Amino acid sequence: MLACNRAIIARMESPVPLIPQLGAHLVAAGGKRLRPLLTLASARLCGYQPGPDHQRHVGLAACVEFIHTATLLHDDVVDESTLRRGLASANAVFGNKASVLVGDFLFARSFQLMTADGSLKVMAILSDASATIAEGEVLQMVVQNDLTTPVERYLEVIHGKTAALFAAACRVGAVVAERPEAEEEALERFGTNLGMAFQLVDDALDYAADQQVLGKTVGDDMREGKITLPVLAAYEAGSPEDRIFWERVIGEGEQTEDDLPHALNLIAKTGAINTTIARAQVYADAAVEALSIFPDSELRRLLIETVQFTVNRAR
Amino acid sequence: MLACNRAIIARMESPVPLIPQLGAHLVAAGGKRLRPLLTLASARLCGYQPGPDHQRHVGLAACVEFIHTATLLHDDVVDESTLRRGLASANAVFGNKASVLVGDFLFARSFQLMTADGSLKVMAILSDASATIAEGEVLQMVVQNDLTTPVERYLEVIHGKTAALFAAACRVGAVVAERPEAEEEALERFGTNLGMAFQLVDDALDYAADQQVLGKTVGDDMREGKITLPVLAAYEAGSPEDRIFWERVIGEGEQTEDDLPHALNLIAKTGAINTTIARAQVYADAAVEALSIFPDSELRRLLIETVQFTVNRAR
């Protein structure tokens, strides 16, 4: 991870100083670096032996983080967010224009990193994932404020915006280790299911978490009229009066200060958080199951713990 | 070009209907398709023989147009433009969010097209160009409103935002024809110089053209506080009183309705358009010169005419 962090900082360089400045802001904000960690761990799980001339996993981990960072920059512009990981978001500090353009730069840089890696297979995985992410983000925008969105459509959104990159991050790890297709597929399945669980829990936390723990404001999704499972479940299980409330605050986006506490009450009353976490647990179990083709090892145990931690942080 | 247009429409497809809808809006708006044309022409100039199994130039021409379209979508968001090619811009019709996200999709799709082509050399050329474009756009934002910008900095901006993709579009044509490095480099030089001439003329037209011919509003650059050569030249050659005017309208961005006619007068008085066109002509001559290693042919004559037309449209 140290090597990966160094690669991220080194490849953020540009003759245009604003680019590394905005990059430094993002790096300083921290973040879990979960996706590059998945690439590194997947490569090692498949027996990739790093050495001075065997650093492909590091370059690709940085590449995955660049794709992720580019989408975060654009997300914050699209969502008009002012906080990211508990600090002022890049668009709040540097403006929307800088965020759009530096996002484009990081995206282009990620493709330069892939090109430097030189594997067409890796390029196909990551360029497909990039297109799927953008489709997921567009779909999320289309269903915004629409309480009649079927749960399946919501699952498509989170598959696109989150699980696709988790899956690709894992799969490229297997590719650099030059392992059989079955191991690539197992790691892709692991990443997909972990990503689904991760996003479901994230969506639950937006209606449950302590702001300081989460590093973001509770109720962000509600303010943006985002359609997430906690809302769909509370709407589904709600009384006619509850539904009128949701139609006003989410459907029409007309919100007052008292609406968030009431929304949290309705979500608690209808068990919508539990519904969401239960679904996340199903994906988490599938993620763990996907690892079963690998022999027991400390690394495999760590990955399984990561899955469990992902779900348990909402409990 | 028909095959290329078909490829553009086919590859705009997505299970998320808003993506092809926004794509159709862009396709309907027309545009010159100059960049994909350069890829096709460069391949043919290098002797590439198209056939049912030899359509790489078409896929890469579409790829180049996708990169260009993605940057246009993001530019219009960044510049808050409402018109593009004489029609309502995509952000004006579909909103900024859709333009950012569909731009990301088209950018990802361009990398899928490159991956499908399968040449690492092509990928390096186009991913480098993509990073250079983003750097040029960021630099343009940084120097916005800054009348002390040296001309060299302005030339860096237009190299990034325009000439880099012209150069890449031409160079990949030579690559698919599998020609010696000297021909690749000649075409890259042709594209770079044509791109510089093209952008200089575009910047001149923004202070000169008939709105209906141009399909955009005269004075857009001024309203956005963009630093272009016509303004730098008029500022440089202006009286102290003129400079106070430019410092208010461009430096501080404080503009009234009467400022555009006055700006056009100052630009005429100082010969700033001629200064700009003279520089464009130097690049145009270098572009024509770059083609000298190719034997005379109808296609070469057409490319030379394209260069001359590019400069003459401002006369």
Side-chain angles (χ1 to χ4, degrees):
Chain A
M1 271 315 282
L2 277 176
C4 176
N5 280 337
R6 273 197 301 270
I8 288 170
I9 290 164
R11 300 298 289 155
M12 206 81 98
E13 265 315 309
S14 161
V16 182
L18 179 60
I19 292 174
Q21 277 162 23
L22 201 148
H25 176 82
L26 293 168
V27 171
K32 296 170 290 291
R33 298 252 195 276
L34 186 51
R35 292 155 192 81
L37 204 69
L38 289 174
T39 301
L40 299 176
S42 297
R44 296 300 290 270
L45 191 71
C46 287
Y48 185 71
Q49 294 293 338
D53 295 332
H54 293 84
Q55 291 290 311
R56 287 182 64 193
H57 62 324
V58 172
L60 291 176
C63 172
V64 162
E65 185 68 359
F66 275 12
I67 296 174
H68 176 55
T69 307
T71 64
L72 289 188
L73 284 173
H74 288 182
D75 276 1
D76 283 345
V77 170
V78 166
D79 294 341
E80 295 159 24
S81 308
T82 55
L83 277 181
R84 162 72 62 189
R85 296 166 184 159
L87 293 177
S89 60
N91 49 314
V93 177
F94 297 92
N96 282 339
K97 298 179 184 193
S99 286
V100 169
L101 297 176
V102 175
D104 289 349
F105 174 80
L106 293 179
F107 201 35
R109 179 110 313 167
S110 79
F111 281 95
Q112 289 181 303
L113 282 160
M114 277 175 237
T115 305
D117 177 71
S119 155
L120 276 173
K121 203 165 175 181
V122 163
M123 243 166 288
I125 293 165
L126 290 173
S127 62
D128 288 354
S130 301
T132 303
I133 293 168
E135 286 176 329
E137 300 274 1
V138 176
L139 189 59
Q140 172 170 267
M141 191 191 74
V142 170
V143 304
Q144 201 167 5
N145 301 107
D146 182 359
L147 285 161
T148 69
T149 304
V151 172
E152 290 64 36
R153 185 71 41 83
Y154 158 77
L155 295 174
E156 269 177 62
V157 168
I158 66 173
H159 175 268
K161 74 173 197 173
T162 305
L165 189 57
F166 273 67
C170 292
R171 183 159 194 155
V172 297
V175 171
V176 298
E178 301 180 1
R179 298 299 302 162
E181 193 85 358
E183 292 188 18
E184 282 181 29
E185 281 166 10
L187 278 168
E188 181 175 19
R189 211 159 57 244
F190 169 74
T192 302
N193 284 291
L194 174 59
M196 295 297 287
F198 179 88
Q199 189 60 54
L200 279 158
V201 168
D202 219 54
D203 291 348
L205 287 172
D206 207 82
Y207 286 96
D210 178 331
Q211 181 169 343
Q212 288 179 306
V213 175
L214 192 61
K216 67 177 185 177
T217 328
V218 172
D220 270 351
D221 288 347
M222 183 174 110
R223 258 184 295 277
E224 291 160 16
K226 257 187 202 159
I227 295 301
T228 61
L229 189 55
V231 167
L232 290 179
Y235 182 71
E236 171 77 23
S239 67
E241 198 190 336
D242 295 351
R243 290 191 170 204
I244 290 168
F245 169 81
W246 290 116
E247 277 151 16
R248 174 173 59 79
V249 299
I250 299 281
E252 287 152 42
E254 278 179 23
Q255 300 180 12
T256 69
E257 292 227 336
D258 301 333
D259 288 337
L260 183 59
H262 186 57
L264 296 178
N265 275 340
L266 293 187
I267 281 182
K269 187 185 81 176
T270 54
I273 294 294
N274 287 343
T275 305
T276 305
I277 302 300
R279 244 189 214 262
Q281 188 63 56
V282 174
Y283 287 109
D285 293 344
V288 171
E289 167 61 25
L291 295 180
S292 62
I293 69 161
F294 298 97
D296 182 41
S297 66
E298 203 194 328
L299 187 54
R300 201 184 78 150
R301 281 193 295 274
L302 272 169
L303 285 172
I304 292 172
E305 269 174 40
T306 304
V307 175
Q308 278 153 357
F309 173 76
T310 294
V311 180
N312 288 340
R313 69 194 172 117
R315 281 191 169 124
Chain B
M1 271 314 284
L2 278 175
C4 176
N5 281 337
R6 274 198 302 269
I8 287 169
I9 290 163
R11 300 297 290 154
M12 205 80 98
E13 266 314 310
S14 161
V16 182
L18 180 60
I19 292 173
Q21 277 162 24
L22 201 149
H25 177 82
L26 293 169
V27 171
K32 296 169 290 291
R33 297 253 196 276
L34 186 51
R35 293 155 192 81
L37 206 69
L38 288 174
T39 301
L40 299 176
S42 297
R44 297 300 289 269
L45 191 71
C46 289
Y48 185 71
Q49 295 292 339
D53 295 332
H54 292 84
Q55 291 290 311
R56 287 182 63 192
H57 62 325
V58 172
L60 291 176
C63 171
V64 162
E65 185 68 358
F66 275 12
I67 295 174
H68 175 56
T69 308
T71 64
L72 289 188
L73 284 172
H74 288 182
D75 276 0
D76 283 345
V77 170
V78 166
D79 295 341
E80 295 159 25
S81 308
T82 55
L83 277 181
R84 164 70 61 188
R85 295 165 185 160
L87 293 177
S89 61
N91 49 314
V93 177
F94 297 91
N96 282 340
K97 297 179 185 193
S99 285
V100 170
L101 298 175
V102 175
D104 289 349
F105 173 80
L106 293 179
F107 200 35
R109 179 110 313 166
S110 78
F111 281 95
Q112 290 181 303
L113 281 160
M114 278 175 235
T115 305
D117 176 72
S119 155
L120 276 173
K121 201 165 175 180
V122 163
M123 243 166 290
I125 293 165
L126 291 173
S127 62
D128 287 353
S130 300
T132 304
I133 294 168
E135 286 177 327
E137 300 275 1
V138 176
L139 189 60
Q140 172 170 267
M141 192 191 75
V142 170
V143 303
Q144 202 168 2
N145 302 107
D146 182 0
L147 284 162
T148 69
T149 304
V151 171
E152 290 63 37
R153 186 70 42 83
Y154 159 77
L155 295 174
E156 268 177 62
V157 168
I158 67 173
H159 176 268
K161 75 174 197 172
T162 306
L165 189 57
F166 273 66
C170 292
R171 184 160 194 155
V172 298
V175 171
V176 298
E178 301 179 1
R179 298 299 302 163
E181 193 86 357
E183 292 189 19
E184 281 182 28
E185 281 165 11
L187 279 168
E188 181 174 20
R189 210 158 57 243
F190 170 73
T192 301
N193 285 291
L194 174 58
M196 295 297 286
F198 179 88
Q199 189 59 53
L200 279 159
V201 169
D202 219 55
D203 291 348
L205 286 172
D206 208 83
Y207 286 96
D210 178 328
Q211 182 169 343
Q212 287 179 307
V213 176
L214 192 62
K216 67 175 184 177
T217 328
V218 173
D220 269 352
D221 289 346
M222 184 173 109
R223 259 183 295 276
E224 291 160 16
K226 256 186 203 160
I227 295 301
T228 62
L229 189 54
V231 167
L232 290 179
Y235 182 72
E236 171 76 23
S239 68
E241 198 190 338
D242 294 352
R243 291 192 170 203
I244 289 168
F245 169 81
W246 289 116
E247 277 153 15
R248 173 173 58 80
V249 300
I250 299 282
E252 287 153 42
E254 277 179 25
Q255 301 180 12
T256 69
E257 292 228 336
D258 302 333
D259 289 335
L260 183 59
H262 186 58
L264 296 178
N265 275 340
L266 294 186
I267 280 181
K269 187 184 81 176
T270 54
I273 294 294
N274 287 344
T275 304
T276 305
I277 302 301
R279 243 187 215 264
Q281 187 64 55
V282 174
Y283 287 108
D285 293 345
V288 171
E289 167 61 26
L291 294 180
S292 63
I293 70 161
F294 298 97
D296 182 41
S297 67
E298 203 195 326
L299 186 55
R300 201 184 79 149
R301 282 194 294 275
L302 271 170
L303 285 172
I304 292 171
E305 270 174 39
T306 303
V307 175
Q308 278 153 357
F309 173 76
T310 294
V311 180
N312 288 340
R313 68 194 173 117
R315 284 191 167 123

